[in-house]
Amino acid sequence: MTILVTGATGMVGRLVVERLVAAGARVRALTRSPGTARLPEGIEVVAGDLADPSTLVSAFGGVQRMYLFPVPATAREVVAGAVGAGVRHIVVLSSGAVTTGFDTDFHLPVEQAVEASGVAWTHVRPGEFMLNKLWLWGPSIRADRVVREPFPDTAWYPVHERDIADVAVTALLQSGHAGRVYDVNGPQLISHRDQVRAIAEAIGEDVRLEVVTPDRARQHYREQGGFAAANADFLLGFEDYSGNDTAPTAEAFGPAFTGPLPTAEQVTGRPARTFAAWAHDHADDFR
Ligand SMILES: NC(=O)c1ccc[n+]([C@@H]2O[C@H](COP(=O)([O-])OP(=O)(O)OC[C@H]3O[C@@H](n4cnc5c(N)ncnc54)[C@H](OP(=O)(O)O)[C@@H]3O)[C@@H](O)[C@H]2O)c1
């Protein structure tokens, strides 16, 4: 059985590839840039662009199962191509925002395209990635051992990327997951303040938490560029999920879920990883 992994060079996608290879599965990895993809030896790497379904024809040949990175604009054509070529089960990297009703135009249409095709499906809906803190706080921690944060007591259930990948891989390899929706959150409600503490402990050095205004934090993230700049307005509460303007308040970040979900443990058989474990896994990235 050949499993096609799209988004294979992504933070989650690479782990999906790693886990599938470790399980002895035959993996084909899709990337737009095979020359720079740095994917494991021994797997098949194919070029293709999910935004251009005409580039995917050869990628689908002989594939039975697929991990689908979400690209909404072309999802229907991509899924039609996959199913027409014989793919029987698609595991979608979706978002917990579909469950909470905030996401109606990004991950939801990808899920709907897969369901409408008649193929067997599993939707993996992660909540906030722990990784976001590496993209947001990593530069200032590495440079000055400081985090500039307007809402230190805001808490959430961030999820380790390895738990997301483990859930996806379980759905790809085992039977019994078709037609299932898996919301995947982390195991503990943890405030930004405690997240900073966990990172400090992991790197073995003090990290100062500097409480700043939302405007100051936005300016800082915009100057930082990349993920921080692209997501500053949403993550700091200046806009809601639909992009409408809002006023940042700590209350706006109240959890939409009432508690951690035991999904990762139920699906994979092992407890979800804590933020402290994640910080240790990424200690070198913060140093
Ligand atoms: N951050 C969060 O808190 C959060 C929460 C819920 C859900 N999510 C979802 O999770 C996703 C992030 O997953 P991730 O961290 O594994 O991804 P990632 O690290 O952002 O990487 C995505 C990979 O997808 C590939 N890709 C992007 N556009 C493509 C296209 N048009 N055709 C083919 N490949 C394409 C790229 O590979 P190549 O450049 O090699 O082609 C890239 O390496 C988000 O996009 C979001 O949908 C995120």
Side-chain angles (χ1 to χ4, degrees):
M1 176 175 75
T2 298
I3 301 175
L4 177 66
V5 179
T6 67
T9 61
M11 295 302 290
V12 180
R14 280 191 191 281
L15 297 172
V16 170
V17 169
E18 178 189 299
R19 291 284 197 273
L20 289 173
V21 169
R26 191 181 309 149
V27 178
R28 184 178 298 163
L30 184 90
T31 169
R32 292 166 298 181
S33 312
T36 53
R38 294 180 296 104
L39 286 157
E41 298 286 319
I43 69 164
E44 197 184 346
V45 178
V46 294
D49 186 344
L50 290 165
D52 181 358
S54 69
T55 64
L56 301 174
V57 176
S58 60
F60 292 140
V63 171
Q64 285 82 40
R65 297 185 179 190
M66 173 164 88
Y67 167 82
L68 181 59
F69 180 83
V71 175
T74 49
R76 275 187 190 273
E77 285 169 86
V78 169
V79 171
V83 175
V87 173
R88 300 194 194 293
H89 189 152
I90 297 179
V91 174
V92 180
L93 176 61
S94 183
S95 169
V98 175
T99 303
T100 55
F102 295 123
D103 181 333
T104 55
D105 59 5
F106 194 89
H107 298 89
L108 180 62
V110 179
E111 291 190 3
Q112 289 172 332
V114 173
E115 291 183 27
S117 74
V119 75
W121 53 264
T122 308
H123 302 325
V124 178
R125 294 182 181 168
E128 178 198 6
F129 287 18
M130 292 178 183
L131 271 173
N132 293 356
K133 295 300 162 34
L134 180 57
W135 314 137
L136 295 175
W137 297 347
S140 63
I141 291 177
R142 286 192 294 273
D144 302 315
R145 299 288 188 260
V146 66
V147 168
R148 298 185 182 90
E149 168 59 48
F151 303 120
D153 298 313
T154 290
W156 192 251
Y157 300 91
V159 60
H160 195 308
E161 61 276 10
R162 287 196 177 276
D163 287 321
I164 306 166
D166 284 353
V167 169
V169 166
T170 304
L172 285 165
L173 291 179
Q174 297 179 3
S175 59
H177 300 284
R180 306 295 293 273
V181 173
Y182 294 130
D183 284 291
V184 188
N185 265 347
Q188 57 182 159
L189 184 65
I190 179 166
S191 68
H192 291 167
R193 193 186 298 284
D194 286 341
Q195 292 175 29
V196 174
R197 279 197 192 111
I199 294 166
E201 197 168 298
I203 66 174
E205 290 186 42
D206 287 343
V207 175
R208 193 163 51 85
L209 176 61
E210 186 182 323
V211 180
V212 297
T213 64
D215 277 310
R216 173 76 187 88
R218 175 159 67 170
Q219 182 193 345
H220 167 68
Y221 284 161
R222 284 181 173 173
E223 286 166 6
Q224 200 166 286
F227 177 94
N231 294 285
D233 284 8
F234 173 63
L235 293 171
L236 295 166
F238 287 94
E239 67 178 31
D240 66 16
Y241 201 90
S242 307
N244 300 313
D245 289 347
T246 52
T249 61
E251 291 69 35
F253 294 94
F257 292 114
T258 53
L261 300 163
T263 311
E265 183 164 358
Q266 283 169 0
V267 174
T268 67
R270 53 160 295 168
R273 295 160 175 91
T274 62
F275 194 90
W278 176 84
H280 277 279
D281 289 347
H282 288 280
D284 285 344
D285 298 328
F286 283 108
R287 286 192 186 103

